[in-house]
Amino acid sequence: MKSGKLGFFLLLLFLNSSACSAWFGSNKHKSSYANGRNSILPHETSSSSSSSSSYLSRFRSGSSVLLPVHGNVYPVGFYNVTLNLGNPPRPYYLDIDTGSDLTWLQCDAPCSRCSQTPHPLYRPSNDLVPCRNPLCASLHQTDNYDCEVQHQCDYEVEYADHYSSLGVLVNDVYVLNFTNGVQLKVRMALGCGYDQLFPDSSYHPLDGMLGLGRGKSSLVSQLNSQGLVRNVVGHCLSAQGGGYIFFGDVYDSSRLTWTPMSSRDLKHYVAGAAELIFGGKKTGIGGLLPVFDTGSSYTYFNSNAYQAVISWLKKELAGKPLKEAPDDQTLPLCWHGKRPFRSVYEVRKYFKPMALSFTSSGRTNTQFEIPPEAYLIVSNMGNVCLGILDGSEVGMGDLNLIGDISMLDKVMVFDNEKQLIGWAPADCNRVPNSRHVSI
């Protein structure tokens, strides 16, 4: 959670069951999942199970949730939403992350290491998720994991920028407004993070993380498991700042370009093999498996693709009125002009578009376009900087990560049921507000 953050999820969970069992109490605290309790609570409390069933029936087709987003790629470095959680519900600012599953809040349990937050630390419920619960199991790298405390699921998540959270899974209330005008209090799991490690001391106004990945513990997966939305998540991030995210049927599939998700990775939104296109021409740099991840501000290519991009750019900029600016440490590679720039649109004419060309059965079928404004920023010094970085320098190996910067002003849809990734150009400044939204 820092400016220019790299949030690609590397390490998921290991048990440290005795870490906070004293605070969370004895075995008498049982999860609602273990008890089989109905976790759907209508906004206007119902007195009968039949009323709850009638609420459910209204959502089984076409329901969706849409949330406005705040933030930008630079200089803020992240996009976040406001969610109301707990009982009574309180607002929290959550960093949106399609590269990880777990939603967690910095938690007063007590919190041994927590950063300053815009709201009081989350006070957790005593409704613990048991160690053998399927949600807890989904967070492990293996099915063979130990449970020192059976009634409690302990987690540790670590991100590629070495940010981490240690805590316990609890069930609590999420207050969600659906696009059909109904508000529900939905009981779902989240992490109570009582020990966070931060890579730097900078302050960002966030309370925690919103996990939107493909695993069972992600918010959209939990909503889907309760019959409330289709297992679909999408977002539209504006280059001017802001935008929106959505869960369920909120899009017109005929307007989007689609490519299959890769079967090699069941945790992240990875597309099939792609070739890098530069200036409309094939480069021979192929076999790229791109991971689409809102947890990262910038885009990361593997070393081979990154070095090729640097080589092409230097050739294209030869003789142009742009010179390297090594004194600007905003990003690894920046250029200055005769006078400070105010917008990437002033310099986009000097740069060529890129694209990822996806193939199916040996035939090219779709392209994910990355125009100059989707890989450049203008720094506070008025220089233009390259928002594509070398993934090998941060331990990503051969992975290629498509971050926020390259998804700006596009509707991005991740359909987990059809195993498809879709996109289309869009005006992300206009947040839909109709009860019958169609993006």
Side-chain angles (χ1 to χ4, degrees):
M1 292 185 187
K2 61 185 177 61
S3 182
K5 68 187 171 71
L6 169 59
F8 182 71
F9 199 63
L10 293 184
L11 173 67
L12 200 46
L13 178 147
F14 64 87
L15 281 182
N16 183 19
S17 299
S18 61
C20 71
S21 58
W23 187 88
F24 274 91
S26 66
N27 289 336
K28 68 180 180 180
H29 299 307
K30 298 296 184 181
S31 166
S32 64
Y33 284 81
N35 294 335
R37 187 171 66 209
N38 191 335
S39 61
I40 310 301
L41 304 178
H43 178 54
E44 296 182 2
T45 304
S46 172
S47 60
S48 69
S49 59
S50 60
S51 297
S52 296
S53 298
S54 66
Y55 269 94
L56 276 174
S57 65
R58 296 176 60 182
F59 288 92
R60 295 205 185 276
S61 64
S63 65
S64 57
V65 176
L66 187 144
L67 299 168
V69 166
H70 305 281
N72 56 48
V73 170
Y74 181 84
V76 173
F78 57 85
Y79 289 86
N80 71 281
V81 298
T82 302
L83 277 185
N84 291 296
L85 295 122
N87 192 14
R90 292 182 173 89
Y92 297 99
Y93 298 157
L94 301 180
D95 189 352
I96 61 174
D97 187 10
T98 57
S100 65
D101 295 336
L102 184 64
T103 295
W104 57 266
L105 291 170
Q106 293 196 106
C107 185
D108 189 9
C111 197
S112 57
R113 284 185 294 186
C114 281
S115 71
Q116 184 181 359
T117 57
H119 300 102
L121 292 176
Y122 166 67
R123 291 289 296 176
S125 73
N126 284 329
D127 187 3
L128 300 179
V129 175
C131 184
R132 290 301 177 189
N133 184 278
L135 288 181
C136 189
S138 73
L139 293 176
H140 291 80
Q141 299 296 323
T142 175
D143 293 333
N144 184 25
Y145 63 94
D146 295 329
C147 286
E148 295 181 19
V149 181
Q150 293 293 329
H151 73 278
Q152 178 171 305
C153 177
D154 298 82
Y155 74 85
E156 180 171 359
V157 291
E158 183 176 346
Y159 303 89
D161 57 2
H162 305 298
Y163 184 90
S164 66
S165 175
L166 179 71
V168 173
L169 285 187
V170 300
N171 292 301
D172 214 335
V173 172
Y174 293 65
V175 180
L176 297 173
N177 295 313
F178 288 77
T179 53
N180 61 3
V182 174
Q183 183 184 82
L184 288 185
K185 293 180 179 179
V186 186
R187 198 167 192 84
M188 295 184 289
L190 72 151
C192 162
Y194 58 81
D195 189 358
Q196 276 65 240
L197 181 64
F198 303 92
D200 58 37
S201 59
S202 60
Y203 167 67
H204 296 296
L206 294 169
D207 298 292
M209 187 75 69
L210 179 63
L212 300 175
R214 299 174 68 184
K216 289 183 179 179
S217 64
S218 78
L219 179 64
V220 66
S221 294
Q222 291 192 69
L223 286 171
N224 174 256
S225 71
Q226 298 196 27
L228 295 176
V229 299
R230 286 188 61 234
N231 196 350
V232 177
V233 60
H235 58 77
C236 196
L237 306 177
S238 172
Q240 298 179 33
Y244 54 90
I245 62 172
F246 55 90
F247 318 125
D249 290 307
V250 192
Y251 62 91
D252 179 355
S253 61
S254 66
R255 296 175 54 192
L256 277 67
T257 298
W258 296 93
T259 195
M261 291 184 189
S262 172
S263 59
R264 300 185 188 181
D265 188 329
L266 300 180
K267 287 289 185 182
H268 307 105
Y269 297 113
V270 186
E275 180 180 1
L276 187 60
I277 305 296
F278 187 80
K281 298 180 180 179
K282 294 185 177 182
T283 64
I285 305 295
L288 306 178
L289 293 174
V291 181
F292 293 87
D293 181 10
T294 59
S296 177
S297 304
Y298 299 111
T299 289
Y300 290 77
F301 284 161
N302 66 35
S303 183
N304 188 30
Y306 176 76
Q307 294 301 329
V309 167
I310 297 300
S311 176
W312 298 326
L313 289 175
K314 289 184 176 180
K315 289 179 181 178
E316 289 296 322
L317 295 177
K320 305 288 176 60
L322 292 176
K323 305 297 180 183
E324 288 191 30
D327 57 324
D328 192 337
Q329 300 298 306
T330 303
L331 287 170
L333 184 56
C334 298
W335 299 270
H336 65 81
K338 294 181 179 179
R339 60 182 62 87
F341 301 114
R342 293 171 296 177
S343 166
V344 294
Y345 294 97
E346 295 180 40
V347 294
R348 71 185 305 275
K349 61 185 176 183
Y350 301 124
F351 295 85
K352 290 187 176 180
M354 302 182 200
L356 293 171
S357 179
F358 297 97
T359 58
S360 178
S361 301
R363 297 178 299 171
T364 300
N365 53 8
T366 57
Q367 284 196 359
F368 182 84
E369 297 180 353
I370 308 176
E373 58 269 27
Y375 67 81
L376 299 171
I377 67 161
V378 170
S379 73
N380 286 334
M381 297 178 65
N383 301 317
V384 59
C385 301
L386 178 63
I388 297 176
L389 308 178
D390 188 347
S392 65
E393 293 186 355
V394 291
M396 291 179 57
D398 203 42
L399 291 172
N400 301 276
L401 190 152
I402 308 303
D404 293 340
I405 189 171
S406 299
M407 296 187 285
L408 295 176
D409 294 330
K410 289 184 176 71
V411 170
M412 299 292 307
V413 177
F414 306 98
D415 191 327
N416 291 300
E417 297 184 5
K418 297 180 179 178
Q419 299 290 291
L420 294 172
I421 299 173
W423 60 87
D427 180 2
C428 299
N429 296 307
R430 299 180 58 188
V431 180
N433 56 16
S434 170
R435 288 192 177 187
H436 304 286
V437 181
S438 181
I439 297 171

Short mmCIF file of all heavy atoms in Angstrom, two decimals, residues 73-109:
data_model
loop_
_atom_site.label_atom_id
_atom_site.label_comp_id
_atom_site.label_asym_id
_atom_site.label_seq_id
_atom_site.Cartn_x
_atom_site.Cartn_y
_atom_site.Cartn_z
N VAL A 73 -3.30 6.43 -10.40
CA VAL A 73 -2.01 5.75 -10.51
C VAL A 73 -0.90 6.61 -9.92
O VAL A 73 -0.04 6.13 -9.17
CB VAL A 73 -1.71 5.41 -11.99
CG1 VAL A 73 -0.27 4.93 -12.15
CG2 VAL A 73 -2.68 4.35 -12.50
N TYR A 74 -0.91 7.89 -10.28
CA TYR A 74 0.12 8.81 -9.79
C TYR A 74 -0.51 10.18 -9.58
O TYR A 74 -1.28 10.62 -10.43
CB TYR A 74 1.28 8.91 -10.81
CG TYR A 74 2.39 9.83 -10.38
CD1 TYR A 74 3.40 9.37 -9.53
CD2 TYR A 74 2.42 11.16 -10.80
CE1 TYR A 74 4.42 10.22 -9.12
CE2 TYR A 74 3.43 12.01 -10.40
CZ TYR A 74 4.43 11.53 -9.56
OH TYR A 74 5.44 12.38 -9.15
N PRO A 75 -0.27 10.82 -8.45
CA PRO A 75 0.72 10.48 -7.42
C PRO A 75 0.18 9.64 -6.27
O PRO A 75 0.96 9.21 -5.41
CB PRO A 75 1.13 11.86 -6.90
CG PRO A 75 -0.12 12.68 -7.01
CD PRO A 75 -0.80 12.20 -8.27
N VAL A 76 -1.15 9.36 -6.21
CA VAL A 76 -1.70 8.62 -5.07
C VAL A 76 -1.12 7.20 -5.01
O VAL A 76 -0.68 6.73 -3.97
CB VAL A 76 -3.24 8.59 -5.14
CG1 VAL A 76 -3.81 7.66 -4.06
CG2 VAL A 76 -3.81 9.99 -4.97
N GLY A 77 -1.17 6.48 -6.14
CA GLY A 77 -0.56 5.16 -6.20
C GLY A 77 -1.48 4.00 -5.94
O GLY A 77 -1.05 2.85 -5.89
N PHE A 78 -2.79 4.22 -5.77
CA PHE A 78 -3.73 3.13 -5.56
C PHE A 78 -5.15 3.63 -5.80
O PHE A 78 -5.42 4.84 -5.83
CB PHE A 78 -3.63 2.53 -4.15
CG PHE A 78 -3.85 3.54 -3.05
CD1 PHE A 78 -5.12 3.86 -2.62
CD2 PHE A 78 -2.77 4.17 -2.46
CE1 PHE A 78 -5.32 4.79 -1.61
CE2 PHE A 78 -2.96 5.11 -1.44
CZ PHE A 78 -4.24 5.41 -1.03
N TYR A 79 -6.07 2.67 -5.98
CA TYR A 79 -7.51 2.94 -6.06
C TYR A 79 -8.18 2.24 -4.89
O TYR A 79 -7.81 1.11 -4.54
CB TYR A 79 -8.09 2.42 -7.38
CG TYR A 79 -7.68 3.22 -8.59
CD1 TYR A 79 -6.49 2.94 -9.26
CD2 TYR A 79 -8.48 4.26 -9.08
CE1 TYR A 79 -6.12 3.67 -10.39
CE2 TYR A 79 -8.12 4.98 -10.20
CZ TYR A 79 -6.93 4.69 -10.84
OH TYR A 79 -6.56 5.42 -11.95
N ASN A 80 -9.17 2.90 -4.28
CA ASN A 80 -9.83 2.30 -3.13
C ASN A 80 -11.33 2.54 -3.17
O ASN A 80 -11.83 3.43 -3.86
CB ASN A 80 -9.26 2.86 -1.82
CG ASN A 80 -9.65 4.30 -1.58
OD1 ASN A 80 -9.05 5.22 -2.16
ND2 ASN A 80 -10.63 4.54 -0.73
N VAL A 81 -12.06 1.71 -2.42
CA VAL A 81 -13.50 1.85 -2.26
C VAL A 81 -13.81 2.01 -0.78
O VAL A 81 -12.98 1.73 0.09
CB VAL A 81 -14.28 0.63 -2.81
CG1 VAL A 81 -14.06 0.47 -4.29
CG2 VAL A 81 -13.88 -0.64 -2.05
N THR A 82 -15.03 2.48 -0.49
CA THR A 82 -15.52 2.56 0.89
C THR A 82 -16.54 1.46 1.12
O THR A 82 -17.51 1.35 0.36
CB THR A 82 -16.18 3.92 1.17
OG1 THR A 82 -15.23 4.96 0.92
CG2 THR A 82 -16.65 4.00 2.62
N LEU A 83 -16.30 0.62 2.11
CA LEU A 83 -17.26 -0.42 2.48
C LEU A 83 -17.65 -0.24 3.94
O LEU A 83 -16.82 0.12 4.79
CB LEU A 83 -16.65 -1.82 2.31
CG LEU A 83 -16.67 -2.44 0.91
CD1 LEU A 83 -16.14 -3.86 0.97
CD2 LEU A 83 -18.08 -2.44 0.32
N ASN A 84 -18.92 -0.52 4.23
CA ASN A 84 -19.41 -0.48 5.60
C ASN A 84 -19.44 -1.91 6.14
O ASN A 84 -20.14 -2.77 5.59
CB ASN A 84 -20.81 0.14 5.64
CG ASN A 84 -20.78 1.62 5.33
OD1 ASN A 84 -20.19 2.40 6.07
ND2 ASN A 84 -21.40 2.01 4.23
N LEU A 85 -18.69 -2.13 7.21
CA LEU A 85 -18.56 -3.47 7.77
C LEU A 85 -18.75 -3.44 9.28
O LEU A 85 -18.51 -2.42 9.93
CB LEU A 85 -17.16 -4.04 7.47
CG LEU A 85 -16.85 -4.31 6.01
CD1 LEU A 85 -15.63 -3.54 5.58
CD2 LEU A 85 -16.61 -5.78 5.80
N GLY A 86 -19.11 -4.60 9.82
CA GLY A 86 -19.23 -4.75 11.26
C GLY A 86 -20.64 -4.55 11.76
O GLY A 86 -21.57 -4.27 10.99
N ASN A 87 -20.81 -4.74 13.06
CA ASN A 87 -22.12 -4.58 13.68
C ASN A 87 -21.95 -3.82 15.00
O ASN A 87 -21.47 -4.38 15.98
CB ASN A 87 -22.73 -5.96 13.93
CG ASN A 87 -24.20 -5.88 14.31
OD1 ASN A 87 -24.84 -4.84 14.14
ND2 ASN A 87 -24.72 -6.99 14.82
N PRO A 88 -22.28 -2.52 15.03
CA PRO A 88 -22.92 -1.75 13.94
C PRO A 88 -21.94 -1.46 12.81
O PRO A 88 -20.73 -1.39 13.05
CB PRO A 88 -23.36 -0.46 14.64
CG PRO A 88 -22.36 -0.29 15.74
CD PRO A 88 -22.06 -1.68 16.23
N PRO A 89 -22.45 -1.29 11.57
CA PRO A 89 -21.57 -1.05 10.43
C PRO A 89 -20.84 0.28 10.55
O PRO A 89 -21.41 1.29 10.96
CB PRO A 89 -22.53 -1.05 9.23
CG PRO A 89 -23.78 -1.71 9.74
CD PRO A 89 -23.86 -1.37 11.18
N ARG A 90 -19.56 0.25 10.15
CA ARG A 90 -18.75 1.46 10.11
C ARG A 90 -18.01 1.51 8.79
O ARG A 90 -17.69 0.46 8.21
CB ARG A 90 -17.75 1.48 11.27
CG ARG A 90 -18.41 1.63 12.64
CD ARG A 90 -17.37 1.70 13.76
NE ARG A 90 -17.99 1.99 15.04
CZ ARG A 90 -18.46 1.08 15.87
NH1 ARG A 90 -18.39 -0.21 15.54
NH2 ARG A 90 -19.00 1.43 17.02
N PRO A 91 -17.71 2.71 8.27
CA PRO A 91 -17.04 2.81 6.97
C PRO A 91 -15.54 2.52 7.07
O PRO A 91 -14.89 2.89 8.06
CB PRO A 91 -17.28 4.28 6.58
CG PRO A 91 -17.40 5.00 7.89
CD PRO A 91 -18.05 4.03 8.84
N TYR A 92 -15.01 1.87 6.03
CA TYR A 92 -13.58 1.60 5.94
C TYR A 92 -13.14 1.79 4.49
O TYR A 92 -13.87 1.46 3.56
CB TYR A 92 -13.26 0.17 6.39
CG TYR A 92 -13.59 -0.09 7.84
CD1 TYR A 92 -14.78 -0.73 8.19
CD2 TYR A 92 -12.73 0.32 8.86
CE1 TYR A 92 -15.09 -0.96 9.52
CE2 TYR A 92 -13.04 0.09 10.20
CZ TYR A 92 -14.22 -0.54 10.52
OH TYR A 92 -14.54 -0.76 11.84
N TYR A 93 -11.93 2.32 4.32
CA TYR A 93 -11.33 2.49 2.99
C TYR A 93 -10.46 1.28 2.68
O TYR A 93 -9.52 0.98 3.41
CB TYR A 93 -10.47 3.75 2.94
CG TYR A 93 -11.21 5.05 3.17
CD1 TYR A 93 -10.53 6.18 3.63
CD2 TYR A 93 -12.58 5.16 2.94
CE1 TYR A 93 -11.19 7.38 3.84
CE2 TYR A 93 -13.25 6.35 3.16
CZ TYR A 93 -12.55 7.46 3.61
OH TYR A 93 -13.22 8.64 3.83
N LEU A 94 -10.79 0.59 1.56
CA LEU A 94 -10.09 -0.63 1.20
C LEU A 94 -9.43 -0.51 -0.17
O LEU A 94 -10.07 -0.09 -1.15
CB LEU A 94 -11.06 -1.82 1.19
CG LEU A 94 -11.77 -2.13 2.51
CD1 LEU A 94 -12.69 -3.33 2.35
CD2 LEU A 94 -10.77 -2.37 3.63
N ASP A 95 -8.18 -0.88 -0.24
CA ASP A 95 -7.41 -0.93 -1.49
C ASP A 95 -7.93 -2.10 -2.33
O ASP A 95 -7.97 -3.23 -1.85
CB ASP A 95 -5.93 -1.14 -1.12
CG ASP A 95 -5.00 -1.00 -2.31
OD1 ASP A 95 -5.47 -0.89 -3.45
OD2 ASP A 95 -3.78 -0.99 -2.09
N ILE A 96 -8.35 -1.85 -3.57
CA ILE A 96 -8.90 -2.92 -4.40
C ILE A 96 -7.77 -3.73 -5.03
O ILE A 96 -6.82 -3.17 -5.58
CB ILE A 96 -9.87 -2.38 -5.48
CG1 ILE A 96 -9.17 -1.41 -6.44
CG2 ILE A 96 -11.05 -1.70 -4.83
CD1 ILE A 96 -10.05 -0.99 -7.59
N ASP A 97 -7.87 -5.05 -4.96
CA ASP A 97 -6.78 -5.91 -5.41
C ASP A 97 -7.32 -7.17 -6.06
O ASP A 97 -7.75 -8.11 -5.38
CB ASP A 97 -5.88 -6.28 -4.22
CG ASP A 97 -4.64 -7.03 -4.65
OD1 ASP A 97 -4.36 -7.10 -5.86
OD2 ASP A 97 -3.94 -7.55 -3.76
N THR A 98 -7.30 -7.20 -7.39
CA THR A 98 -7.71 -8.41 -8.12
C THR A 98 -6.61 -9.46 -8.11
O THR A 98 -6.82 -10.57 -8.61
CB THR A 98 -8.08 -8.08 -9.58
OG1 THR A 98 -6.97 -7.44 -10.22
CG2 THR A 98 -9.30 -7.16 -9.64
N GLY A 99 -5.45 -9.14 -7.56
CA GLY A 99 -4.34 -10.09 -7.52
C GLY A 99 -4.29 -10.92 -6.25
O GLY A 99 -3.39 -11.73 -6.09
N SER A 100 -5.24 -10.72 -5.33
CA SER A 100 -5.27 -11.51 -4.10
C SER A 100 -6.71 -11.79 -3.72
O SER A 100 -7.64 -11.15 -4.20
CB SER A 100 -4.53 -10.78 -2.97
OG SER A 100 -5.20 -9.59 -2.62
N ASP A 101 -6.89 -12.75 -2.81
CA ASP A 101 -8.24 -13.20 -2.46
C ASP A 101 -8.78 -12.59 -1.17
O ASP A 101 -9.96 -12.26 -1.08
CB ASP A 101 -8.25 -14.73 -2.29
CG ASP A 101 -7.96 -15.46 -3.58
OD1 ASP A 101 -8.20 -14.88 -4.66
OD2 ASP A 101 -7.48 -16.61 -3.51
N LEU A 102 -7.93 -12.46 -0.18
CA LEU A 102 -8.40 -12.15 1.16
C LEU A 102 -8.69 -10.67 1.37
O LEU A 102 -7.85 -9.82 1.11
CB LEU A 102 -7.37 -12.61 2.19
CG LEU A 102 -7.78 -12.45 3.66
CD1 LEU A 102 -8.98 -13.32 3.98
CD2 LEU A 102 -6.61 -12.78 4.58
N THR A 103 -9.91 -10.37 1.85
CA THR A 103 -10.24 -9.04 2.33
C THR A 103 -9.89 -8.98 3.82
O THR A 103 -10.25 -9.87 4.58
CB THR A 103 -11.74 -8.74 2.15
OG1 THR A 103 -12.04 -8.71 0.75
CG2 THR A 103 -12.12 -7.41 2.79
N TRP A 104 -9.13 -7.95 4.21
CA TRP A 104 -8.77 -7.83 5.61
C TRP A 104 -8.71 -6.36 6.02
O TRP A 104 -8.54 -5.47 5.20
CB TRP A 104 -7.44 -8.52 5.93
CG TRP A 104 -6.25 -8.07 5.12
CD1 TRP A 104 -5.78 -8.63 3.97
CD2 TRP A 104 -5.38 -6.97 5.42
NE1 TRP A 104 -4.67 -7.95 3.52
CE2 TRP A 104 -4.40 -6.93 4.39
CE3 TRP A 104 -5.33 -6.02 6.44
CZ2 TRP A 104 -3.39 -5.97 4.37
CZ3 TRP A 104 -4.31 -5.05 6.41
CH2 TRP A 104 -3.36 -5.05 5.38
N LEU A 105 -8.89 -6.15 7.32
CA LEU A 105 -8.81 -4.82 7.91
C LEU A 105 -7.76 -4.82 9.01
O LEU A 105 -7.58 -5.83 9.70
CB LEU A 105 -10.16 -4.43 8.54
CG LEU A 105 -11.33 -4.16 7.60
CD1 LEU A 105 -12.62 -4.02 8.40
CD2 LEU A 105 -11.09 -2.89 6.79
N GLN A 106 -7.07 -3.69 9.16
CA GLN A 106 -6.22 -3.54 10.33
C GLN A 106 -7.13 -3.55 11.56
O GLN A 106 -8.13 -2.84 11.60
CB GLN A 106 -5.41 -2.25 10.24
CG GLN A 106 -4.39 -2.29 9.13
CD GLN A 106 -3.34 -1.21 9.28
OE1 GLN A 106 -2.21 -1.47 9.64
NE2 GLN A 106 -3.73 0.02 9.02
N CYS A 107 -6.74 -4.38 12.53
CA CYS A 107 -7.70 -4.84 13.52
C CYS A 107 -7.21 -4.56 14.93
O CYS A 107 -6.05 -4.83 15.26
CB CYS A 107 -7.89 -6.34 13.28
SG CYS A 107 -9.13 -7.13 14.27
N ASP A 108 -8.10 -4.05 15.75
CA ASP A 108 -7.79 -3.77 17.14
C ASP A 108 -8.00 -5.04 17.96
O ASP A 108 -9.02 -5.24 18.59
CB ASP A 108 -8.69 -2.64 17.64
CG ASP A 108 -8.29 -2.15 19.02
OD1 ASP A 108 -7.23 -2.57 19.50
OD2 ASP A 108 -9.04 -1.34 19.60
N ALA A 109 -6.95 -5.91 17.97
CA ALA A 109 -7.15 -7.24 18.54
C ALA A 109 -6.21 -7.67 19.68
O ALA A 109 -6.30 -8.82 20.05
CB ALA A 109 -7.08 -8.27 17.41
#
